[in-house]
Amino acid sequence: MNNFDFLVGAWDSVQRRLAEPLTGSDDWDEFTGRTRCYSLLGGAANLDEVTFPEKGFGGVTLRLLDRETDEWSIYWANSRTGILALPPVVGRFVDGVGEFFSEEDYQGRPIVVRYRWSDITGTTARWAQAFSPDQGRTWETNWEAEFTRTGA
């Protein structure tokens, strides 16, 4: 429990998103993000809202801890669609690194999605999303964010 307490508060971020995942492309789009995160249910839930001013959209992340399995389920919805993306990525923190996985469909092909939280300090954190088209044998990072606490 309380694994996501580090994220509570206000953050600025530098976001890098791969323009065309799983195509061999190395064309990255860089933009900023602003996040405000709240702890709920005594640390067993966590909610954040992120805005991407240069992109004109934002999103909401809900994280819920299953107390029986000690695993977090992470749900995402963005303002462009207003649809809760399912399934959630599910996983846990081990030795200060959180890894969360789901099996999904991307442009008609089955993939495994991985979110990874790492390099967590009192004022910084790193998040990355990767796709695997081969059941986790290889991974392509396609979105990453470097977070810096704003104090506001």
Side-chain angles (χ1 to χ4, degrees), residues 33-56:
R34 293 193 181 103
T35 302
R36 183 76 180 155
C37 183
Y38 306 89
S39 180
L40 304 166
L41 304 176
N46 179 287
L47 180 72
D48 75 46
E49 180 181 17
V50 61
T51 58
F52 306 116
E54 295 123 89
K55 296 298 176 187

Side-chain angles (χ1 to χ4, degrees), residues 6-99:
F6 74 90
L7 197 53
V8 172
W11 298 82
D12 285 338
S13 60
V14 175
Q15 307 273 329
R16 292 183 67 234
R17 185 173 55 184
L18 193 58
E20 306 251 349
L22 301 178
T23 64
S25 171
D26 194 27
D27 182 20
W28 289 86
D29 183 23
E30 190 169 301
F31 51 98
T32 62
R34 293 193 181 103
T35 302
R36 183 76 180 155
C37 183
Y38 306 89
S39 180
L40 304 166
L41 304 176
N46 179 287
L47 180 72
D48 75 46
E49 180 181 17
V50 61
T51 58
F52 306 116
E54 295 123 89
K55 296 298 176 187
F57 79 99
V60 174
T61 306
L62 174 64
R63 300 171 188 89
L64 299 169
L65 178 65
D66 181 328
R67 292 175 190 241
E68 287 187 28
T69 64
D70 199 35
E71 290 186 317
W72 288 89
S73 295
I74 304 175
Y75 299 85
W76 164 256
N78 74 60
S79 63
R80 291 185 289 193
T81 65
I83 297 171
L84 186 64
L86 294 172
V89 292
V90 177
R92 64 173 41 97
F93 281 84
V94 176
D95 297 326
V97 175
E99 290 195 323

